[in-house]
Amino acid sequence: MGAAQTSQIRNTPGAQKSAFLRLARPHQWSKNLLLMAALIFSRHLFILHDDAIVIASVVAFCALASFAYALNDIIDREADRLNPEKRDRPIASGALSVGAAMRFAAVLAAIGLAISLYWAARSF
């Protein structure tokens, strides 16, 4: 497969979505579900207002964690290209440009901060 064909494959909408999803590392999000423990141990699991706060918190944590993963991959892209375990990451492999990754990271940060600030303002 030539360079033009490889470039064409990487620029398809499906490939771009897949690269953004891999950059966000959703397999790491399960750790954020530990926020639910507060609902369980406080016996507030069936209080809708508290459920909404925790669900929003999980979403905000996931967005902010993905922002950090994207930022790390942007910063470490040269070292990742040399690492056999990390060279297939979207930025290191060239599946995503640094500019696209930076825009994606900015959106993730904005989502996480907006959710956090909204709920923080409501709690005071």
Side-chain angles (χ1 to χ4, degrees), residues 58-99:
V58 169
V59 172
F61 265 69
C62 291
L64 291 170
S66 291
F67 159 73
Y69 295 135
L71 187 62
N72 175 67
D73 285 359
I74 291 166
I75 293 167
D76 290 347
R77 66 187 178 275
E78 295 302 326
D80 288 352
R81 284 186 184 120
L82 302 174
N83 185 321
E85 293 177 16
K86 297 179 181 181
R87 67 177 170 221
D88 292 328
R89 289 184 176 173
I91 300 168
S93 69
L96 279 181
S97 69
V98 173

Side-chain angles (χ1 to χ4, degrees), residues 32-120:
N32 298 331
L33 293 175
L34 286 174
L35 292 171
M36 298 288 232
L39 282 177
I40 295 166
F41 293 119
S42 68
R43 298 185 181 142
H44 288 206
L45 185 58
F46 298 107
I47 299 173
L48 290 180
H49 178 264
D50 293 350
D51 292 344
I53 292 171
V54 170
I55 290 168
S57 299
V58 169
V59 172
F61 265 69
C62 291
L64 291 170
S66 291
F67 159 73
Y69 295 135
L71 187 62
N72 175 67
D73 285 359
I74 291 166
I75 293 167
D76 290 347
R77 66 187 178 275
E78 295 302 326
D80 288 352
R81 284 186 184 120
L82 302 174
N83 185 321
E85 293 177 16
K86 297 179 181 181
R87 67 177 170 221
D88 292 328
R89 289 184 176 173
I91 300 168
S93 69
L96 279 181
S97 69
V98 173
M102 288 176 74
R103 288 187 294 276
F104 184 61
V107 168
L108 290 168
I111 290 169
L113 289 173
I115 292 169
S116 300
L117 292 172
Y118 172 80
W119 283 101

